[in-house]
Amino acid sequence: MKLFLKALLLSVVIFGCDSSEPDAGNAFQIYLDFWNTTGRNPEIRFDEIKTSKEIKIDFSQTFEGQTEGNQLTKVVIDNFKIVDNQNNNYNIGAIKAYEFRNNNWKEDVEFTMDFTQTQDVGVVVLVLDRSESLGNDFSKIKEYAMNFIDQTFTTHPEVKMGIVDFSTDVHTYPISNDREALKSYISNLKSDRFTALYQAMDEGVEMLLRYPAQSRILVTFTDGTDNMSDQNYYNVENILAKIKNDKNTNKIRGFFIGLEGKGGLETGLPSKLASSGWIVSIPTSATQVKDVFEKFGRLISNVYHLTYIRNQQVIPRTTPVKLRFDIQALR
């Protein structure tokens, strides 16, 4: 049974280093209950309390038990990543599966575990502030944005990108797979006086809504407070509502960089976005913005698909098998 839930911030579990528990360090766990009342109808239940909070699962994708052939069943988690509270995105090195038996966690070598890195980045729209409050830092921000484009295309050559740039006016560069043209457009941007942040974010959302893709990502950079948009139409509540009401099952994923610069960030905006599932970072210098763009580039890339295969043993719903997937990962 698929679970259509929002991505959750999950609790950390730290274990000792005996033979039945994961090693210390960059170790993360996913906990599930598994049952199969007829042998042909496997189901799973997510344990959000025990699962490591760094595990981010997209429950709008496949998250279910499945039957395979006449002898096997599968647990499939189609879209997840590992992100800590510093926005570090981890690369998975290995995954082991354990079942809780006789009051201990046991690895069953007869059951198999597989994971792959998915290529789910379809369309990215970059919303870029060019207001004059950036001052001499604007040239650095353009450089970091162009590096972000290079990073994204290098990791996902089939990706398409668009640009929304804003200050007094909002301009767009249409969604394209021409890496050099996108970089050239950013290189030629000129700063201007005011900050039409919400209008630009709204246009970025509209661009993604008009473009069918399995994965759509909005990355916004600003250093200021909106002082130009008509807020009867352009405001954070309307932007988030458009994303929520999108009929596409794969909702737009939001990333926000708010530089604490001369402009002063919109009060409450980062927390509103974060509470709606956006990945938010608030660097305090232009140099730190470079690191955040690089981290966000990794965040949209390190997405994984997990499959656990076991037999068709009948397991009552009232006494489900406890599963634990131990993940060893590197930043």
Side-chain angles (χ1 to χ4, degrees), residues 205-216:
V205 170
E206 288 292 335
M207 289 174 71
L208 290 169
L209 291 176
R210 293 192 296 266
Y211 204 97
Q214 182 178 2
S215 176
R216 297 165 298 159

Side-chain angles (χ1 to χ4, degrees), residues 129-135 138 166-169 171 190-197 223-228 262-263:
D129 193 340
R130 53 180 175 84
S131 58
E132 65 179 10
S133 59
L134 286 164
F138 184 46
F166 66 96
S167 56
T168 304
D169 299 312
H171 300 142
K190 306 296 183 185
S191 60
D192 202 350
R193 187 171 183 181
F194 299 122
T195 307
L197 171 62
D223 80 326
T225 298
D226 191 308
N227 58 19
M228 191 66 192
K262 299 176 183 177

